[in-house]
Amino acid sequence: MEIKGNACGLTSSRPANPEVKTRIMSTMRSVTPIDKNWAFRQLDDEGSGFLPVAQFPTNIHLDLIHHKIIPDPFVGKNENDVQWVGEKAWIYKTTFPSPVVQIDKAVLVFDGLDTYATVVLNGKEILKTEDMFIPERVDVTGLLKSNKDNVLEITFASTYLVGKKLVEEHPEHRWGCWNGDVSRLAVRKAQYHYGWDWGPTLLTCGPWRPISLEVYSSRISDLYFTTEVDKSLQSAEVVAKADVVGEGAEVKFEISLNGETVSAETVKVEKGFATATFRTQNPELWYPATYGKQPMYTLTATLASGNTEYDTVSKRFGLRKAELVQRKLEDAPGTTFFFEINNIPVFCGGSDWIPADNFIPRITPQKYRDWVKMLIDGNQIMVRVWGGGIFEEKAFYDACDEMGVLVWQDFLFGCGNYPAHGEFLDLVQREARANVKLMRHHPSIVIWAGNNEDYQYQESENLHYDPKDKDPTNWLKSNFPARYIYEKLLPDITKELVPGTYYHPGSPFGGKDTTDPTIGDIHQWNVWHGTQEKYQNFDTLSGRFVSEFGMEGFPNIKTIDSYLPQGKNDADRYPQSSTVDFHNKADGHERRIALYLVENMQYKFEPFEQFIYCTQLMQAECLASAYRLWKRQWKGPGREYCAGALVWQINDCWPVTSWAIVDHYLRPKHAYYTVKRELAPITIGLKRTVHTTPADKYTRVYVKTVHKIEMWASNLSLEKRTMGVRLKAWDVVTGEEKYSKSLHEGFVLEPNRSVEITEFEVPVQKKDADEELRTVVAAYLIENGKQMARYVNWPEPLKYTHLQKPKELKVELARGADAVEISAEVPVKGVALEAEDDGVVFADNCVDVVPGERVRIGVKGLKSGEEGKIGVRYLGS
């Protein structure tokens, strides 16, 4: 049917049934939340009595904290004092009335029970669960009471104790993992609950997702679809599908956009299934942020028989063509690994994501939106949902859909050698199928990966892996049996349920091993972990796609004060205190932070705020270096040497010193801003190199040293841009401008790539006088008189540079109080603006200031005359 008046109307593949304007008799499916009157108690302490829950959904720690039975485990070292909770069994109980209408079918729906639960309704056991990620449905039609309330009880066993017993029951398996107790591998519970190198050990249990009572005679058990956008982008096809339970005779499919119907069709139900195909010309396509808009269509299915409606279900979707391109490069070994969305190759700058709290039920939909907006505001367009956490809440994926963030989704396995006996495989299959079905309509999800670092664990422990052996039954007999999960079970499921989305066996995976930089993705941990390379050399540590790398930095002092028992007055309010160390779970963090600080800059332990600043500046310089140097390797068609970089990590699950670039309370560290600048659509980059040439092959004394700078620019926009290129230099000690020159008036930046501009010697007035070591160089891109990009390059390591304390550092609130302007008479490294009030938000931060310029930073939350609320820090302050 042609939809008139809508340029992007979807046309049905067959004529629609004529509309019949008759009053509809409704026997619609109803859903009643079971979220009232919940209470809990410790199972083996009957004398304690039931206490009301703190909220619903909930978990045991939230309820115990609410009643002050345990202290807040995020404060001090309270984590140690609450470990007993995870080794006890707990019971939750509520009552609810039966439906007042006559019913054909009543089903209790459990969206998520954590983890080993026994459910009893009116004294009868109706369900036992073993996986916190599997939604469960139980027919209770004959069990509901007609004349009084129903009693629902859920007993949660200790998952930790169950896991320990399961390990004992399978001595044939070679148990082993990084992070947490090995028993976590035996159970299908969020793995980070067992503790990680950034998070606490808090073994939760409870009804962590909603519970409801469904009443219906017939229902749509699943609404799903496939979409295909033609290579030309001029047409698209949507195949809508509905699985039906009950007697419904027909399904009306309706597609709408912006609240207006664009196409509809009613089809018969045959053998519990209905489908309709819609086609459109000139579809409104979904794009990642900065590349286009994110229009979201809505597919609605209504189940009916004649004039009687039984059920209506809706899902939102976006039309886009998404591919992972792996092809040979023009002049380098291996293959590409880049995402192409609607025929546009995309450099995926972004972050890895961990659960935003140890206690998931208290994360609000708004908090999820705030986190995703943090990504967008930071010029990040991809987020990787890490395999040691959870299949995230719907609000998270909805926000990614709406704001244009591409999602890399791991299946939930991480850093270990998982078993693959029959019962475990059955559980994994149910879990994977259920969650892929729940999530497959999201246009933001462009890749599924089998696990996080399990192949790296296999390599480190020399577990058996023969890439030439393609027989899955052999994999099950090896001491690395989970290969069967990653290379057989999960790809079979994704091929069936999401055939248009790429499946990757693991992250990292590809090439001769997991560290092969020429094929697949890599986790680059030779800065911080591994060989502890200098971060200035990230260009030599590249890969086709770097899905993890990172550097630690302390969180905001307000975040630290939040976990110190006495806040600002706590005796442990200093960098090396036992409480502050307790809130850093990374092995060897003291040595590693000290190493990268001492290699790069002068720093102080006091005041504490200045030490925090130095760690954040070090983290900021490190991560900016990685993004700058790897984006340089995005050089256009056939030369996509590096196609993405995802920093570990964007967020924290509790207040902690970690690799996060935004702390638990959404307070950005300085790295957030330096990464934001490097991921801007138009950037310019500089790198210093030192070249030594001996006078002859025998001498070690007569050596010529030349200090050079390489210059390049990146244009991630889809348009050719013509820029002026300007270069300036100053003496870092005196602030005197030593050099100023326009290198190009009309330099062409080809679209969607980086391009080399020039290489030159560090501009000095006197050769062989080490002036290079006190010369600060800045490069600019100018378009139509407007500065589009700027980068300031400093002699490194910064600890050798004679940084001056500015006498005329000015921080002024602009007229209208919507911006702060910063200037100084000498070059100043890493000027950071601070405010006690979290309502004061800066659009940028940690900026380099050079003489003769005013750096303008947007600000919200200040009024005219409130300059006094702004604090300032810089390297050397």
Side-chain angles (χ1 to χ4, degrees):
M1 182 172 73
E2 183 109 19
I3 305 299
K4 298 181 179 179
N6 193 307
C8 59
L10 286 144
T11 304
S12 172
S13 62
R14 66 187 105 175
N17 289 352
E19 295 291 333
V20 180
K21 296 184 178 179
T22 307
R23 187 174 179 273
I24 301 296
M25 295 171 54
S26 179
T27 55
M28 292 289 285
R29 176 177 65 98
S30 67
V31 179
T32 303
I34 307 297
D35 57 1
K36 303 291 191 300
N37 308 317
W38 281 97
F40 76 101
R41 69 169 173 83
Q42 188 176 320
L43 185 65
D44 63 2
D45 187 7
E46 295 184 12
S48 62
F50 280 91
L51 295 171
V53 298
Q55 61 177 72
F56 199 87
T58 188
N59 69 32
I60 191 59
H61 289 78
L62 290 175
D63 296 327
L64 293 172
I65 293 168
H66 176 72
H67 288 282
K68 297 183 170 52
I69 296 172
I70 62 171
D72 185 344
F74 287 7
V75 173
K77 301 174 185 176
N78 290 343
E79 175 196 347
N80 292 335
D81 298 330
V82 304
Q83 291 307 307
W84 63 272
V85 176
E87 295 190 20
K88 293 292 184 180
W90 301 88
I91 183 168
Y92 281 79
K93 180 179 180 180
T94 191
T95 59
F96 64 93
S98 294
V100 295
V101 297
Q102 184 176 352
I103 59 174
D104 290 341
K105 185 82 71 175
V107 172
L108 277 175
V109 181
F110 304 88
D111 287 354
L113 299 176
D114 176 14
T115 294
Y116 284 87
T118 301
V119 183
V120 174
L121 177 65
N122 297 328
K124 180 178 176 59
E125 182 181 305
I126 61 170
L127 175 66
K128 294 181 83 72
T129 69
E130 302 174 289
D131 189 319
M132 72 178 284
F133 307 116
I134 298 179
E136 301 282 4
R137 299 176 60 88
V138 183
D139 186 341
V140 296
T141 309
L143 298 177
L144 297 179
K145 295 183 177 181
S146 58
N147 55 351
K148 58 181 179 179
D149 282 351
N150 301 281
V151 179
L152 181 63
E153 296 178 313
I154 310 175
T155 301
F156 293 91
S158 165
T159 302
Y160 175 78
L161 297 180
V162 172
K164 298 297 278 189
K165 292 176 182 178
L166 287 171
V167 170
E168 288 182 349
E169 290 172 9
H170 292 277
E172 76 284 357
H173 182 63
R174 186 167 163 181
W175 299 94
C177 66
W178 300 323
N179 296 295
D181 189 85
V182 72
S183 65
R184 70 175 174 82
L185 304 174
V187 298
R188 298 309 297 149
K189 177 175 174 61
Q191 301 288 271
Y192 82 108
H193 288 171
Y194 285 76
W196 223 264
D197 54 7
W198 36 257
T201 302
L202 293 168
L203 292 165
T204 59
C205 73
W208 74 293
R209 280 181 168 163
I211 299 173
S212 58
L213 177 66
E214 274 191 22
V215 174
Y216 63 91
S217 56
S218 298
R219 73 181 183 97
I220 296 170
S221 60
D222 195 13
L223 173 64
Y224 53 110
F225 47 84
T226 57
T227 64
E228 185 172 348
V229 176
D230 185 73
K231 182 69 174 176
S232 69
L233 307 183
Q234 298 303 304
S235 63
E237 180 181 88
V238 179
V239 181
K241 306 172 185 181
D243 293 336
V244 172
V245 175
E247 300 302 320
E250 58 192 24
V251 171
K252 178 182 179 181
F253 293 104
E254 183 177 30
I255 295 178
S256 60
L257 180 66
N258 300 322
E260 294 185 6
T261 300
V262 295
S263 194
E265 181 179 354
T266 301
V267 297
K268 291 182 178 180
V269 177
E270 297 181 0
K271 297 181 180 180
F273 177 72
T275 183
T277 299
F278 300 89
R279 295 184 178 88
T280 180
Q281 299 298 314
N282 302 315
E284 291 200 23
L285 298 180
W286 185 97
Y287 286 86
T290 75
Y291 290 92
K293 296 180 180 180
Q294 295 79 44
M296 295 295 293
Y297 291 85
T298 299
L299 172 63
T300 301
T302 300
L303 176 65
S305 289
N307 296 332
T308 303
E309 291 186 354
Y310 297 107
D311 196 6
T312 297
V313 179
S314 294
K315 287 187 178 177
R316 302 172 75 207
F317 68 96
L319 289 173
R320 88 293 189 265
K321 187 177 183 64
E323 296 180 88
L324 178 67
V325 180
Q326 299 181 85
R327 65 188 179 207
K328 290 184 177 180
L329 291 149
E330 286 182 0
D331 52 2
T335 54
T336 62
F337 194 96
F338 70 85
F339 291 89
E340 192 173 78
I341 311 298
N342 299 331
N343 300 338
I344 301 170
V346 174
F347 181 87
C348 290
S351 291
D352 294 288
W353 168 272
I354 66 171
D357 202 317
N358 275 86
F359 308 136
I360 298 296
R362 69 179 174 188
I363 307 175
T364 64
Q366 184 59 51
K367 179 63 70 67
Y368 276 118
R369 293 192 66 83
D370 291 344
W371 274 114
V372 175
K373 190 172 188 302
M374 188 72 73
L375 290 165
I376 291 296
D377 289 347
N379 293 321
Q380 300 188 40
I381 62 166
M382 177 171 269
V383 63
R384 171 175 166 252
V385 180
W386 167 76
I390 64 171
F391 296 109
E392 271 300 344
E393 298 294 316
K394 181 177 180 295
F396 173 84
Y397 300 107
D398 284 347
C400 291
D401 290 345
E402 293 164 15
M403 298 187 210
V405 176
L406 300 174
V407 174
W408 173 313
Q409 178 67 52
D410 283 357
F411 283 98
L412 304 185
F413 305 89
C415 299
N417 185 27
Y418 285 84
H421 54 81
E423 296 89 343
F424 192 80
L425 291 179
D426 289 345
L427 212 54
V428 169
Q429 176 148 310
R430 285 189 64 212
E431 174 190 306
R433 292 187 67 86
N435 286 280
V436 172
K437 284 183 176 183
L438 284 172
M439 297 160 58
R440 59 182 165 179
H441 62 287
H442 292 286
S444 54
I445 301 176
V446 293
I447 182 173
W448 289 82
N451 66 81
N452 171 78
E453 296 185 355
D454 289 359
Y455 285 101
Q456 284 193 325
Y457 184 84
Q458 170 263 316
E459 291 170 355
S460 73
E461 297 297 310
N462 198 29
L463 302 176
H464 179 76
Y465 186 87
D466 180 3
K468 296 179 182 178
D469 184 357
K470 303 300 183 182
D471 185 350
T473 59
N474 290 338
W475 309 341
L476 289 171
K477 299 171 186 175
S478 75
N479 60 9
F480 181 54
R483 180 184 180 184
Y484 182 91
I485 297 173
Y486 313 140
E487 297 183 38
K488 172 61 177 171
L489 189 152
L490 294 177
D492 284 353
I493 290 171
T494 55
K495 184 178 181 180
E496 175 193 348
L497 299 179
V498 280
T501 304
Y502 182 78
Y503 174 82
H504 195 48
S507 182
F509 186 87
K512 64 182 184 296
D513 56 36
T514 59
T515 62
D516 187 341
T518 68
I519 298 176
D521 68 317
I522 64 169
H523 291 185
Q524 183 48 269
W525 281 109
N526 281 320
V527 171
W528 181 270
H529 289 303
T531 54
Q532 298 181 341
E533 303 288 335
K534 296 181 184 300
Y535 60 69
Q536 289 85 353
N537 299 330
F538 261 127
D539 50 350
T540 67
L541 303 172
S542 184
R544 297 293 174 248
F545 196 106
V546 186
S547 47
E548 277 192 26
F549 68 100
M551 174 60 66
E552 280 205 350
F554 272 61
N556 191 293
I557 187 64
K558 290 179 280 190
T559 296
I560 293 173
D561 287 342
S562 77
Y563 71 66
L564 292 173
Q566 303 302 319
K568 292 181 178 181
N569 300 317
D570 201 286
D572 265 7
R573 197 179 190 257
Y574 63 94
Q576 296 168 298
S577 74
S578 64
T579 304
V580 170
D581 265 357
F582 187 83
H583 283 253
N584 187 334
K585 299 297 188 180
D587 287 343
H589 64 264
E590 304 95 335
R591 297 190 302 276
R592 288 174 168 86
I593 289 176
L595 168 67
Y596 283 99
L597 279 174
V598 79
E599 275 190 348
N600 287 286
M601 62 189 66
Q602 300 176 47
Y603 64 96
K604 304 174 183 177
F605 283 113
E606 295 181 353
F608 194 2
E609 290 83 349
Q610 187 66 17
F611 177 76
I612 292 169
Y613 164 83
C614 288
T615 71
Q616 288 197 12
L617 176 63
M618 180 263 291
Q619 181 192 36
E621 290 287 293
C622 170
L623 302 184
S625 173
Y627 280 103
R628 183 164 56 251
L629 294 170
W630 291 337
K631 197 170 74 165
R632 182 186 186 182
Q633 298 176 12
W634 177 253
K635 289 184 176 291
R639 303 174 69 204
E640 301 94 343
Y641 307 121
C642 180
L646 307 179
V647 67
W648 185 268
Q649 63 224 58
I650 182 68
N651 63 325
D652 279 324
C653 64
W654 75 315
V656 64
T657 298
S658 76
W659 299 274
I661 61 174
V662 181
D663 75 29
H664 180 60
Y665 298 110
L666 285 120
R667 296 177 177 128
K669 300 179 187 177
H670 296 321
Y672 172 81
Y673 298 104
T674 60
V675 168
K676 175 181 179 177
R677 293 196 291 270
E678 294 299 339
L679 289 178
I682 304 293
T683 58
I684 190 165
L686 302 172
K687 181 181 178 178
R688 294 196 186 209
T689 58
V690 179
H691 305 264
T692 57
T693 308
D696 56 53
K697 66 180 180 179
Y698 301 107
T699 186
R700 63 179 177 82
V701 177
Y702 301 102
V703 178
K704 180 181 180 181
T705 301
V706 178
H707 296 259
K708 291 186 176 182
I709 294 182
E710 301 165 358
M711 178 189 290
W712 68 93
S714 299
N715 174 17
L716 295 186
S717 78
L718 303 180
E719 298 177 353
K720 183 185 293 187
R721 309 286 284 271
T722 301
M723 301 279 176
V725 183
R726 193 164 297 164
L727 188 70
K728 291 185 177 183
W730 296 265
D731 186 297
V732 74
V733 176
T734 66
E736 180 184 354
E737 186 177 289
K738 296 288 190 178
Y739 185 88
S740 180
K741 185 178 180 181
S742 176
L743 302 185
H744 296 278
E745 290 299 329
F747 191 85
V748 175
L749 302 184
E750 295 293 334
N752 202 12
R753 72 195 67 184
S754 298
V755 60
E756 302 298 312
I757 298 177
T758 188
E759 183 181 44
F760 56 92
E761 293 187 17
V762 176
V764 295
Q765 295 181 342
K766 187 176 181 181
K767 297 281 189 179
D768 301 321
D770 288 338
E771 286 188 15
E772 296 89 349
L773 304 182
R774 54 187 286 169
T775 300
V776 176
V777 179
Y780 308 83
L781 292 177
I782 311 296
E783 184 179 49
N784 299 324
K786 181 181 179 182
Q787 179 179 298
M788 301 302 296
R790 167 185 183 267
Y791 177 65
V792 181
N793 176 274
W794 299 73
E796 290 192 274
L798 289 165
K799 65 181 180 181
Y800 293 155
T801 305
H802 296 161
L803 299 170
Q804 303 298 298
K805 286 184 167 57
K807 297 178 182 177
E808 300 176 24
L809 178 60
K810 296 180 180 178
V811 179
E812 300 172 320
L813 199 56
R815 182 176 296 179
D818 61 347
V820 177
E821 295 183 344
I822 311 168
S823 61
E825 84 287 3
V826 293
V828 187
K829 178 65 187 174
V831 177
L833 306 179
E834 301 174 350
E836 185 67 25
D837 182 1
D838 281 338
V840 178
V841 178
F842 300 103
D844 199 359
N845 219 327
C846 197
V847 295
D848 296 339
V849 176
V850 290
E853 293 184 15
R854 295 174 71 84
V855 177
R856 185 179 175 91
I857 294 176
V859 65
K860 295 180 180 179
L862 290 175
K863 299 176 182 178
S864 296
E866 292 187 332
E867 288 92 344
K869 292 186 176 182
I870 303 173
V872 182
R873 254 173 236 291
Y874 53 87
L875 186 58
S877 63

